[in-house]
Amino acid sequence: MSNKAQAIVAGAGPVGLLTALALARQEISVIVLEAEPGLTIDLRAGTYHPPSLELMAPYGITDEMHKTTIKVPRWQIRDRKRGVIVEWDVTEIGDLTPYPYRLHLEQHRLTPIVLAKLKECPNARVCFSHQVTGLSQTADKVRVTAVTPGGEEIFEGDWLIGADGGRSTVRRCIDVEFEGFTWDERFLVASTTYDYAPHGFTLNAYLADPEEWAAIFKMPDEGPPGIWRVIFPVPLEEDEAVTLSEEMVEKRMQSFLSTKERYDIKYKSIYKVHQRVAKNFRVGRVLLAGDAAHLNNPMGAFGLNGGIHDSFNLTEKLGKVCRGEADDSLLDLYVRQRRSVNLEYVQEHSIKNLRRLSEKSEEARKQNFDELRRQAASSEGRREFLLVSSMIASIRRANAIT
């Protein structure tokens, strides 16, 4: 098969596959290069906000997701000692979206849906075990070098989209700085079959505590009754083997909610958390999207959703450029819109969310809770909060940038 296409996409995660699908549906030839031998399993992301569902709906993806997903119309902000501080009801903004809820579905259950749609496109090709190692570009072409099972190969395209994750090779090859910081604490994710709903927990809840905050999400897993995923902070100095030991995981789970029986832990993992944004999302004919362009902590579920918003913003503009309906300066608008939103919205609010959960000052904690209660006390305040937390506000902000 030809190693030439109008667009090359590095990375077969959700953002890369959605980007390829959106381009292919516009009759643009596309090649996806993925370093791994197949679709990967990521146990972190898995919450989808209304705008993301709206963007994926025309491709039949949202309907497919609904077959196995969990709807979350209500979610909580809690305190370990005080209990529920605020419970938000997303259905209150049902006049603004056909999907007035959060949708929970593991990322690795989304990618097969998108890949199946992409395979229906004769102008799309997905190459697994193809690791991008270098690139060069001229005024009208990009050449990408990849290590493949058959040796080194060269791929040529009009455009290259780097959607190859936080350690993006594409970003490094175009020498773009990844500005920001790494949090001092790591995150432990433990998934259990224990049901928290009878204890008053909504299917998504955030638990504030000065010593050990937590976040909880119910995921479909392999089907009913689903599985509950709990996230804890872990000090950097704690040895990873200790963190992932049965004893330490059990200790943290029991501190979250004490039970007579030991917890049945199905999955557990630990990872570092970053707050970073690429200094530029475009260098010539190379563009960045998703984690390759920005990283943030998961409090608020802005990361994957932000990447999905990148994808559809970019492909709408790149499609026009490829068809000759606009010159490539339109792609600079993509950069302005999506980079600005990531700096002003995703970074700001995800940092605020995490600091609100981990705040140690009792006075500041009280102020945080009072502010939340005041906002929840009026329909105007609730609506304002829900527009931000659902990411509808971020889409509006991006669209307002010219």
Side-chain angles (χ1 to χ4, degrees), residues 156-201:
E156 188 174 283
D158 298 335
W159 301 94
L160 169 64
I161 298 95
D164 50 342
R167 299 177 180 177
S168 172
T169 298
V170 171
R171 189 185 63 243
R172 291 199 299 270
C173 286
I174 56 176
D175 197 26
V176 169
E177 188 176 349
F178 211 22
E179 300 175 325
F181 67 92
T182 300
W183 290 90
D184 289 338
E185 54 195 9
R186 295 166 296 164
F187 284 15
L188 167 69
V189 182
S191 299
T192 180
T193 55
Y194 186 83
D195 188 5
Y196 290 103
H199 299 276
F201 286 89

Side-chain angles (χ1 to χ4, degrees), residues 211-243:
E211 300 303 323
E212 190 174 73
W213 55 265
I216 183 170
F217 310 81
K218 187 173 185 182
M219 290 291 164
D221 195 44
E222 297 172 357
I227 198 165
W228 292 79
R229 180 187 294 171
V230 188
I231 301 176
F232 301 100
V234 176
L236 278 179
E237 64 272 15
E238 186 173 295
D239 185 84
E240 186 170 323
V242 173
T243 301

Side-chain angles (χ1 to χ4, degrees), residues 75-129:
W75 59 279
Q76 298 167 338
I77 298 176
R78 305 170 66 106
D79 179 75
R80 188 179 289 272
K81 295 180 180 178
R82 298 175 176 88
V84 178
I85 303 301
V86 180
E87 184 166 305
W88 305 103
D89 185 351
V90 188
T91 63
E92 288 193 37
I93 55 172
D95 59 317
L96 301 177
T97 174
Y99 307 105
Y101 42 79
R102 295 181 172 191
L103 208 62
H104 284 183
L105 183 72
E106 294 92 338
Q107 176 177 311
H108 65 271
R109 300 186 193 282
L110 169 64
T111 47
I113 296 173
V114 186
L115 181 60
K117 302 286 184 186
L118 187 57
K119 285 182 175 179
E120 295 172 359
C121 301
N123 56 340
R125 176 185 169 199
V126 181
C127 304
F128 290 105
S129 298

Side-chain angles (χ1 to χ4, degrees), residues 287-306:
L287 300 114
L288 301 175
D291 285 356
H294 49 83
L295 292 172
N296 56 271
N297 79 75
M299 299 305 122
F302 298 145
L304 174 56
N305 286 275

Side-chain angles (χ1 to χ4, degrees), residues 4-16:
K4 294 184 178 181
Q6 288 170 280
I8 298 172
V9 177
V15 175

